[in-house]
Amino acid sequence: MNRRAEKLVVKFNKASVRRMAEGNAKGAPTQPLFHYTNEQALFGIIKSNTFWFTSIYHMDDDEELSFGFDVSHALLRAAMQREDVHAKTFLKPLIEDYKFERIKARFEFYSASFGQKDDPEQWTDYAAGGSGVALGLAPGFFGLAKTDDFKPEEKIFLGKVSYGEAEAKVRHAGVIDSAISVVKQAYREGLLLKAEDEDEFLRHMAAEMYVEILWNSVTTKASKWSHQNKTRLLALNDLRNPQLEIRNAEVRPRVELPQPLLSDNISEIMIGPKADEGANARVRAFLDRNGLSKVPITAAGGA
């Protein structure tokens, strides 16, 4: 690729990372967040200091990604109507890829979800119909390390889910408008005169833009889901060069990632509203055996 064009791709990447980081900072929790699950999964998480992150393409809610993809497609189509011929060259294949199959073939985010304390919907949806438990984690757990020397399994992102079409449009417009601006600059400066330079540059720009579109799509949902008030931890794999080991790939792909901050940041364990009478005793015994005797156990509904 033309070296000057390559620098523009790098410039766009840095701007994209900055937008996502600023979004993360605004969504950083100030109170404990809770991971709703079943009893045996809780024991596994604590014993291994590991969370299972599920592929966002295999989440329980079919609408998890379609809302964000639909918003971004609408903005891409609107841009196609108003932009010049050079921008249209960039936009046309993105619009034709309506189901974002190119994104799905190239990048995969994996997600672990957290919600507010004692949320009735979360108990029903994620904690064995209310018979499970909720692992409370203090804000310190989500203060992810900032370093340029990540191991692949340590590169985890915090994503506070926002709700409503207006917010989704603002976020998707940011990446789309930024990408169009960079593409037009490359043409304006005569950096894409060779067909091979043009093709390579546009492919790299699309790949960089895809990451942020995918990010936005997994961290925005329709207003009707606002009661969930979710926060996600997200890990990214480049499927052309996977850095994370994918397990259960044929059914429900996941990655299993160590969480060294977990044990020191457990704020409480909540017992679900439909748990059996022995649940409290079993959880207490497990915590005591694993050096967590000071972690309190509470009941859903304050009972």
Side-chain angles (χ1 to χ4, degrees), residues 162-211:
S162 61
Y163 298 89
E165 187 172 346
E167 176 66 16
K169 283 183 175 179
V170 169
R171 291 176 58 180
H172 281 294
V175 58
I176 292 169
D177 291 347
S178 176
I180 290 171
S181 177
V182 172
V183 167
K184 291 168 74 172
Q185 180 181 349
Y187 279 109
R188 188 170 60 249
E189 295 180 3
L191 308 182
L192 308 179
L193 298 178
K194 296 181 180 179
E196 59 269 27
D197 285 343
E198 179 184 40
D199 181 65
E200 187 174 8
F201 174 78
L202 295 182
R203 283 190 293 104
H204 275 79
M205 283 297 299
E208 295 292 348
M209 191 179 77
Y210 275 164
V211 174

Side-chain angles (χ1 to χ4, degrees), residues 58 246-254:
H58 293 78
I246 303 171
R247 299 176 182 270
N248 201 33
E250 298 302 318
V251 181
R252 189 179 169 89
R254 68 174 187 268

Side-chain angles (χ1 to χ4, degrees), residues 16 27 34 40 73 111 143 180 187 208-209 217 227 234 239:
S16 178
F34 288 76
Q40 290 306 309
H73 266 296
S111 170
I180 290 171
Y187 279 109
E208 295 292 348
M209 191 179 77
S217 296
H227 62 271
L234 294 159
L239 298 178

Side-chain angles (χ1 to χ4, degrees), residues 26-302:
K26 288 191 295 186
T30 58
Q31 298 293 326
L33 295 178
F34 288 76
H35 181 69
Y36 291 78
T37 187
N38 63 61
E39 196 174 306
Q40 290 306 309
L42 171 75
F43 296 164
I45 289 168
I46 293 175
K47 287 190 73 171
S48 64
N49 271 338
T50 298
F51 268 117
W52 287 11
F53 288 61
T54 302
S55 167
I56 61 171
Y57 304 135
H58 293 78
M59 291 189 292
D60 294 326
D61 180 2
D62 291 339
E63 296 184 25
E64 289 276 3
L65 288 175
S66 60
F67 170 76
F69 282 170
D70 287 347
V71 171
S72 63
H73 266 296
L75 292 171
L76 288 168
R77 289 194 299 270
M80 186 74 172
Q81 294 298 314
R82 69 173 183 267
E83 292 294 344
D84 65 19
V85 64
H86 292 140
K88 288 180 178 179
T89 300
F90 172 63
L91 292 167
K92 187 173 183 292
L94 304 179
I95 293 170
E96 290 174 348
D97 185 23
Y98 182 75
K99 294 184 178 180
F100 279 120
E101 296 299 335
R102 292 184 184 182
I103 287 184
K104 295 177 180 179
R106 177 68 189 273
F107 298 108
E108 187 165 40
F109 271 114
Y110 308 86
S111 170
S113 295
F114 302 82
Q116 301 300 301
K117 181 175 181 176
D118 204 9
D119 185 309
E121 301 279 350
Q122 298 266 356
W123 282 123
T124 299
D125 294 343
Y126 302 109
S131 64
V133 294
L135 168 62
L137 293 167
F141 173 76
F142 301 94
L144 305 175
K146 296 177 176 62
T147 175
D148 293 328
D149 188 27
F150 283 111
K151 297 176 183 177
E153 68 274 12
E154 295 172 341
K155 196 168 185 179
I156 298 172
F157 307 91
L158 179 67
K160 178 71 172 72
V161 179
S162 61
Y163 298 89
E165 187 172 346
E167 176 66 16
K169 283 183 175 179
V170 169
R171 291 176 58 180
H172 281 294
V175 58
I176 292 169
D177 291 347
S178 176
I180 290 171
S181 177
V182 172
V183 167
K184 291 168 74 172
Q185 180 181 349
Y187 279 109
R188 188 170 60 249
E189 295 180 3
L191 308 182
L192 308 179
L193 298 178
K194 296 181 180 179
E196 59 269 27
D197 285 343
E198 179 184 40
D199 181 65
E200 187 174 8
F201 174 78
L202 295 182
R203 283 190 293 104
H204 275 79
M205 283 297 299
E208 295 292 348
M209 191 179 77
Y210 275 164
V211 174
E212 192 173 351
I213 284 180
L214 187 54
W215 170 272
N216 288 338
S217 296
V218 80
T219 55
T220 57
K221 296 186 73 172
S223 297
K224 67 179 181 179
W225 301 108
S226 60
H227 62 271
Q228 294 180 336
N229 205 3
K230 278 187 180 180
T231 296
R232 300 187 190 277
L233 291 183
L234 294 159
L236 176 66
N237 233 1
D238 183 338
L239 298 178
R240 291 185 184 174
N241 182 29
Q243 298 295 306
L244 301 174
E245 182 182 357
I246 303 171
R247 299 176 182 270
N248 201 33
E250 298 302 318
V251 181
R252 189 179 169 89
R254 68 174 187 268
V255 295
E256 299 176 12
L257 303 181
Q259 305 298 313
L261 299 178
L262 190 143
S263 292
D264 291 339
N265 284 283
I266 299 176
S267 61
E268 66 181 286
I269 305 295
M270 294 198 75
I271 305 298
K274 296 183 180 180
D276 64 64
E277 292 182 359
N280 192 304
R282 291 192 300 271
V283 172
R284 180 76 275 162
F286 172 82
L287 293 175
D288 291 347
R289 288 196 306 270
N290 286 274
L292 297 169
S293 58
K294 294 183 179 180
V295 173
I297 298 175
T298 57

Side-chain angles (χ1 to χ4, degrees), residues 2-21:
N2 180 297
R3 184 161 295 184
R4 288 169 60 197
E6 186 176 356
K7 287 182 178 180
L8 288 182
V9 174
V10 172
K11 172 186 171 183
F12 175 79
N13 170 265
K14 290 181 178 179
S16 178
V17 170
R18 184 171 61 251
R19 281 190 296 271
M20 291 187 286

